Amino acid sequence: SRPAPEEDAAGPCEIKAALGQYEAPEDEALVPLAYENLAVSDDSLAPADIDRIVKMLKARDFGAEAVCFSNRTGQGCVPFLMAFSGLFYLVKNPPAAPEAEAEEEKKEDEEKKEAGEEEKAKEAESKAEEKPAGEAEGEFPPVLAIVAAIAEGKGAEVKKEVDEMVSRCNQASDLKADVLKAKTAYKAIEEKAKGSEEAQEALAQARLALNRYATLIAAHAFVKAKHEEEEATFEAWLEEQKPIKEALASIETYAFA
């Protein structure tokens, strides 16, 4: 993220990139890097952690830079940072508006509904509403409470965007799938040794997985709502969003019944 080094000048870092499109060694270039230590907890993410991440991301130029996260203690919160960075980019750089042709197709679809398919669409919507909540989709009570509390009825949209980005960034870990995996592991241990130290540790890991996924949804909602306000903080926003704050806090005692 520093300016590229002048020709024949020493690079600002020790990492060398052997670019695939170049065959000659002399065409290899030193990659300019900027290092930043993010003091983010590997445990449950606090509002102050989110504010530090947002501050760092606002200082980056995603049009010309790539962001890489590394955790010396292991995977930690890296999957969260990967997904959150992708979501932040999409908020700051939304997809281009549909072309005129796509708009015309949309109008035609609407006309078809008015001509006789409207009832069919309503039936499909009704079936979707009747679909039971699924833990495989991350639909645990704290998550559902956050989705329901997001302003202007945009909770489902926010969760959908989060889930899509989590799937795109699942090379390290799938934040949504991790919750169910951790719950399943906890239940298996609890069944054999109820109340044991091992069971309590497994419960703590399940809560941690749930916290990361739920916090990602809440943090994405915050960025979508406040990304143009330089002084806005996740911590202050949560004070205005009491149901979301309470849902996040409830994870500390959630029992995965």
Side-chain angles (χ1 to χ4, degrees):
S1 58
R2 300 177 187 146
E6 296 293 332
E7 187 175 354
D8 298 327
C13 67
E14 71 280 11
I15 296 180
K16 199 173 186 181
L19 302 179
Q21 64 266 40
Y22 298 120
E23 295 182 3
E26 59 267 21
D27 286 328
E28 295 177 0
L30 289 172
V31 179
L33 295 181
Y35 295 95
E36 183 161 351
N37 181 25
L38 271 177
V40 177
S41 173
D42 272 342
D43 297 322
S44 296
L45 289 156
D49 292 327
I50 302 302
D51 288 328
R52 278 190 285 272
I53 298 166
V54 170
K55 182 179 179 181
M56 181 274 293
L57 292 175
K58 282 184 175 180
R60 305 266 60 88
D61 176 10
F62 284 101
E65 300 176 347
V67 179
C68 177
F69 296 103
S70 177
N71 189 327
R72 293 184 179 180
T73 62
Q75 184 172 288
C77 59
V78 166
F80 177 94
L81 293 167
M82 290 170 62
F84 188 55
S85 296
L87 291 165
F88 186 89
Y89 173 82
L90 289 181
V91 171
K92 299 288 284 185
N93 303 273
E99 298 292 337
E101 186 177 334
E103 286 290 340
E104 187 63 32
E105 289 178 0
K106 184 178 179 181
K107 288 180 182 179
E108 290 178 4
D109 289 341
E110 290 174 354
E111 290 173 359
K112 286 179 181 179
K113 284 184 181 180
E114 291 174 2
E117 293 187 4
E118 192 171 314
E119 190 61 32
K120 186 178 180 181
K122 287 182 179 179
E123 288 178 10
E125 289 176 6
S126 177
K127 288 181 180 179
E129 290 175 359
E130 293 172 3
K131 183 182 177 181
E135 292 183 349
E137 294 301 317
E139 294 175 347
F140 292 86
V143 170
L144 293 175
I146 291 170
V147 170
I150 292 173
E152 300 178 11
K154 293 183 177 180
E157 174 187 320
V158 169
K159 183 179 181 299
K160 180 175 181 290
E161 291 171 350
V162 166
D163 289 347
E164 288 176 350
M165 186 57 66
V166 165
S167 294
R168 293 175 65 182
C169 298
N170 64 1
Q171 298 90 340
S173 181
D174 189 308
L175 291 174
K176 183 173 71 174
D178 284 350
V179 185
L180 185 55
K181 287 179 182 177
K183 176 199 169 177
T184 302
Y186 159 62
K187 287 296 185 180
I189 296 171
E190 178 74 356
E191 187 176 343
K192 295 178 181 178
K194 187 173 183 179
S196 66
E197 184 176 338
E198 185 182 4
Q200 290 305 305
E201 175 60 27
L203 175 58
Q205 290 302 311
R207 287 172 175 165
L208 174 58
L210 180 56
N211 173 269
R212 286 177 178 161
Y213 178 60
T215 299
L216 183 60
I217 295 172
H220 181 44
F222 159 70
V223 171
K224 283 174 71 77
K226 299 289 187 178
H227 69 96
E228 294 181 348
E229 300 179 23
E230 286 298 322
E231 302 302 319
T233 67
F234 185 57
E235 198 161 9
W237 181 78
L238 279 180
E239 291 301 323
E240 301 171 358
Q241 310 291 328
K242 294 294 185 183
I244 295 178
K245 183 179 180 180
E246 291 171 0
L248 288 172
S250 71
I251 295 173
E252 295 180 9
T253 56
Y254 186 63
F256 290 92

